[in-house]
Amino acid sequence: MSSQQPSKEIIAKIMLDEANLTFCESSERKDAPGERNLEGSAWDEGKMDGEFDLEDYQRILELQMEAVCICDKQPELEQKTADIFQTVTQENADDVMEQIKQEPEVLSLARIAVTIFMLRFPSVQSFVNKGHPLVLATDEYMLENSNAQNWHDYKFIAEEFGWK
């Protein structure tokens, strides 16, 4: 399958959506603000068998820890990323991307989420076989894009920002 480069609109939406979803993951952790630790991850290694290489598991836990610390320090980013996401259009995508780049914490949350995605799904085939773990029936954007092109979009973002 040949992939096409994602538009700025798609890039902005993925980055904002992933940054926002980090707050959901943070709320599901077993630890609490002020008591964060690597073992507080909501991930159950046994239930997620085959979704990541075991050697990447520690790195994933470290990235999750980095993300939850950002979420704890700046809870207002959850609403901010949701609000910005709702405004993204093809016409304003360049401006939104500049706005994201000016928000170091939002950019960090996006970096962490995209990096974890690439660690979990190192190949397009691994993604197509498993699907995106965060796809919910109410998440129309992800449902519409839960195919090989979606994996290529994440890979492009990781490479474009030097997160790979």
Side-chain angles (χ1 to χ4, degrees):
M1 174 199 160
S2 66
S3 65
Q4 58 184 346
Q5 180 175 324
S7 67
K8 291 264 176 129
E9 178 185 11
I10 295 295
I11 293 169
K13 283 184 173 183
I14 288 172
M15 291 174 71
L16 289 165
D17 196 36
E18 288 292 352
N20 184 268
L21 287 170
T22 303
F23 286 90
C24 250
E25 291 180 0
S26 294
S27 70
E28 295 173 1
R29 290 182 62 91
K30 299 170 197 163
D31 55 12
E35 302 172 1
R36 301 296 188 189
N37 58 67
L38 294 179
E39 293 76 31
S41 172
W43 281 27
D44 182 336
E45 184 179 345
K47 289 183 180 174
M48 300 177 84
D49 188 39
E51 288 193 21
F52 51 83
D53 291 332
L54 208 45
E55 60 267 17
D56 292 329
Y57 189 59
Q58 187 66 30
R59 178 71 179 127
I60 290 169
L61 292 178
E62 291 166 1
L63 287 165
Q64 288 178 338
M65 181 74 172
E66 184 182 345
V68 76
C69 289
I70 293 170
C71 293
D72 287 349
K73 289 178 185 165
Q74 296 201 269
E76 72 280 1
L77 291 178
E78 181 176 18
Q79 189 61 52
K80 185 173 188 173
T81 55
D83 291 345
I84 297 170
F85 179 90
Q86 295 300 320
T87 68
V88 180
T89 64
Q90 187 174 350
E91 293 75 30
N92 72 358
D94 285 329
D95 293 337
V96 171
M97 285 303 301
E98 284 307 310
Q99 187 177 357
I100 292 170
K101 290 175 185 177
Q102 298 303 316
E103 294 276 351
E105 293 81 9
V106 173
L107 199 56
S108 287
L109 291 174
R111 171 189 53 81
I112 291 165
V114 168
T115 302
I116 290 173
F117 178 94
M118 295 310 299
L119 288 170
R120 290 184 77 176
F121 305 106
S123 69
V124 68
Q125 197 58 45
S126 65
F127 177 72
V128 171
N129 289 344
K130 281 286 202 180
H132 193 292
L134 298 176
V135 172
L136 304 172
T138 58
D139 193 343
E140 291 180 35
Y141 171 77
M142 290 304 290
L143 282 172
E144 290 170 8
N145 294 289
S146 61
N147 57 31
Q149 180 59 49
N150 192 232
W151 182 87
H152 288 289
D153 295 345
Y154 279 74
K155 183 173 188 268
F156 178 87
I157 293 168
E159 291 173 350
E160 183 75 8
F161 285 87
W163 297 340
K164 193 161 184 197

